[in-house]
């Protein structure tokens, strides 16, 4: 497996067209506002279309989805952390413990930090879904997790726009679209077992898995997002998250599923967990389940695009604060690795 040191990556991001400026003078909301409902919709109507065949891990539709992500990152002029034109971290068949899964890949892109490049923030989503059933029904996975994946593309673009204006974040950012989540969090496990950047240098993981819909508990009160895990490892991260939301977005942060006694146990069920069990602070952003969860009816026209944009903006603004604060987040609690 290829492991490339930060020093091997070009010192200057191609996307930067301006000399780096003092980041404290930037208005992060200006760049958050480049995340728009029409752009998210345009991405998702392609990414969750029948052409991508439900993005089953290792199958042709997933390969098309990987190529789509690679091309978008290249258009943004974000570099590969692996090197050259290789934006894929290959995950071998032998890594899957169930099913007959073909070789697959995580898709990765990188923005090098201006002051603390060895410290890395990982923003993740899974881009696989469950494919086509025996009756030919395509499971488009618009919310799960097309919504999180196109959200990351827009977040990446917002950071690139800031960098073009000379506001490159102090810490590095890895945009990580993982495969095999539906097969048991396999892509993220592979990344944390074979990290491109040392886990000890990974300051946090912000994971986005389903942020495009409204669950039955919030009908009529749609300005919300579930947050899971923000306080599990780092008081710093939880306080930062709350402060960023209060200052910029004022969404209802619902911690229902963060309860250790919640029977859904979502903390252990998405890709952030593979970071958390390695004592890396995480936040999991989630809209809750709905009637179309893991059904062929999870389609792009049912996404609430304005709400998707708001939630993606919150992730961007939280990432901005993590990447640019003076001190890295303090881990003041031990990971619980007994719950999976």
């Amino acid at each position: 497996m290829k492991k490339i040191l930060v020093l091997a990556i070009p010192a200057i991001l191609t996307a930067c067209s301006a000399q780096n400026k003092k980041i404290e003078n930037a208005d992060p909301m200006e760049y958050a506002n480049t995340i728009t409902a029409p752009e998210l919709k345009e991405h998702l109507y392609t990414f969750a279309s029948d052409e991508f065949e439900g993005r089953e891990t290792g199958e042709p539709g997933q390969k098309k989805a990987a190529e789509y992500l690679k091309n978008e990152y290249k258009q943004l002029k974000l570099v590969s952390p692996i090197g050259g034109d290789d934006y894929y971290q290959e995950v071998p068949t032998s890594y899957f413990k169930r099913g007959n899964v073909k070789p697959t890949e995580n898709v990765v892109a990188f923005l090098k930090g201006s002051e603390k490049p060895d410290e890395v923030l990982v923003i993740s989503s899974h881009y696989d879904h469950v494919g086509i059933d025996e009756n030919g029904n395509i499971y488009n996975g618009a919310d799960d997790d097309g919504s999180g994946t196109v959200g990351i593309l827009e977040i990446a673009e917002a950071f690139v726009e800031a960098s073009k204006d000379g506001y490159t974040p102090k810490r590095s950012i890895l945009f990580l679209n993982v495969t095999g989540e539906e097969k048991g969090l396999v892509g993220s496990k592979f990344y944390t077992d074979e990290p491109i950047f040392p886990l000890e240098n990974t300051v946090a993981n912000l994971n986005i898995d389903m942020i495009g819909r409204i669950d039955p508990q919030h009908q009529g009160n749609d300005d919300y997002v579930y947050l899971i895990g923000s306080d599990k490892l780092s008081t710093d991260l939880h306080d930062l998250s709350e402060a960023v939301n209060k200052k910029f977005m004022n969404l209802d942060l619902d911690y229902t599923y963060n309860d250790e006694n919640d029977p859904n146990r979502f903390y252990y069920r998405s890709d952030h967990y593979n970071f958390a069990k390695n004592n890396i602070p995480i936040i999991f952003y989630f809209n809750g389940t709905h009637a179309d969860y893991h059904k062929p009816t999870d389609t792009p026209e049912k996404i609430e695009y304005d709400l998707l944009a708001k939630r993606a903006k919150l992730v961007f603004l939280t990432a901005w604060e993590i990447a640019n604060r003076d001190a890295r987040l303090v881990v003041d609690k031990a990971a619980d690795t007994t719950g999976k």
Side-chain angles (χ1 to χ4, degrees):
M1 181 51 56
K2 302 167 187 172
K3 295 185 182 178
I4 306 298
L5 296 176
V6 174
L7 294 177
I9 295 168
I12 300 174
L13 176 69
T14 308
C16 288
S17 59
Q19 185 176 3
N20 209 56
K21 300 175 184 176
K22 191 172 178 61
I23 201 78
E24 289 77 12
N25 294 332
D27 175 10
M29 200 66 208
E30 175 183 347
Y31 302 105
N33 285 333
T34 67
I35 299 170
T36 67
E39 289 185 7
L40 288 161
K41 186 174 184 178
E42 182 178 1
H43 279 306
L44 194 55
Y45 263 81
T46 298
F47 196 77
S49 68
D50 287 355
E51 178 187 356
F52 287 70
E53 301 175 337
R55 308 188 304 275
E56 173 78 20
T57 306
E59 297 300 321
Q62 179 256 301
K63 304 293 184 179
K64 291 179 183 178
E67 189 71 12
Y68 182 88
L69 295 171
K70 173 183 174 178
N71 288 337
E72 290 299 317
Y73 288 133
K74 289 179 69 175
Q75 287 183 27
L76 291 173
K77 295 184 169 58
L78 284 167
V79 299
S80 164
I82 297 171
D85 193 53
D86 186 1
Y87 287 73
Y88 298 157
Q89 184 191 38
E90 290 85 1
V91 181
T93 297
S94 60
Y95 218 74
F96 289 84
K97 304 305 181 187
R98 62 179 192 246
N100 183 22
V101 182
K102 298 172 184 175
T104 182
E105 52 278 311
N106 297 328
V107 183
V108 289
F110 184 69
L111 176 59
K112 184 176 180 179
S114 60
E115 294 183 20
K116 303 172 186 288
D118 291 344
E119 296 183 12
V120 180
L121 166 64
V122 177
I123 305 176
S124 64
S125 70
H126 74 90
Y127 73 99
D128 64 309
H129 197 50
V130 297
I132 306 173
D133 68 17
E134 63 275 8
N135 296 316
N137 296 307
I138 299 174
Y139 290 64
N140 298 108
D143 193 27
D144 185 15
D145 184 28
S147 61
T149 302
V150 301
I152 284 187
L153 291 178
E154 284 289 285
I155 291 166
E157 182 179 11
F159 274 110
V160 167
E161 290 302 312
S163 294
K164 287 180 180 178
D165 288 345
Y167 299 116
T168 302
K170 294 179 181 180
R171 292 176 177 83
S172 297
I173 300 176
L174 178 69
F175 302 99
L176 173 64
N177 301 114
V178 295
T179 187
E181 191 270 355
E182 302 286 5
K183 305 295 185 184
L185 315 185
V186 175
S188 55
K189 184 177 189 302
F190 187 79
Y191 180 85
T192 54
D193 286 348
E194 300 286 343
I196 296 172
F197 301 103
L199 294 185
E200 58 267 26
N201 292 351
T202 303
V203 300
N205 167 232
L206 303 181
N207 184 49
I208 316 170
D209 192 351
M210 300 173 57
I211 58 166
R213 295 284 296 270
I214 301 167
D215 72 353
Q217 288 72 32
H218 291 87
Q219 294 295 330
N221 177 30
D222 59 5
D223 271 358
Y224 80 98
V225 65
Y226 289 106
L227 259 59
I228 301 170
S230 62
D231 64 346
K232 300 293 188 188
L233 296 172
S234 173
T235 304
D236 267 357
L237 178 58
H238 180 74
D239 291 348
L240 179 154
S241 169
E242 286 275 336
V244 167
N245 180 60
K246 183 177 180 180
K247 180 176 180 180
F248 292 109
M249 298 305 300
N250 203 30
L251 291 174
D252 175 14
L253 304 183
D254 191 328
Y255 294 101
T256 298
Y257 296 128
N258 195 54
D259 187 337
E260 291 182 6
N261 297 315
D262 181 76
N264 295 284
R265 299 177 68 75
F266 287 126
Y267 179 64
Y268 305 98
R269 290 173 54 186
S270 191
D271 294 295
H272 58 275
Y273 182 68
N274 283 313
F275 290 89
K277 71 183 185 181
N278 283 285
N279 279 305
I280 296 168
I282 67 93
I283 302 177
F284 173 24
Y285 299 86
F286 179 49
N287 56 214
T289 58
H290 44 75
D292 299 308
Y293 175 69
H294 274 209
K295 293 182 179 178
T297 49
D298 181 7
T299 48
E301 73 274 8
K302 295 182 178 179
I303 297 296
E304 304 283 346
Y305 288 96
D306 288 338
L307 182 55
L308 172 55
K310 288 179 184 179
R311 291 163 172 166
K313 287 177 183 180
L314 177 61
V315 180
F316 167 77
L317 292 161
T318 305
W320 179 282
E321 182 62 26
I322 294 168
N324 291 310
R325 73 198 306 261
D326 289 336
R328 68 179 284 176
L329 297 167
V330 174
V331 178
D332 57 349
K333 303 175 185 179
D336 173 15
T337 60
T338 63
K340 185 64 174 172

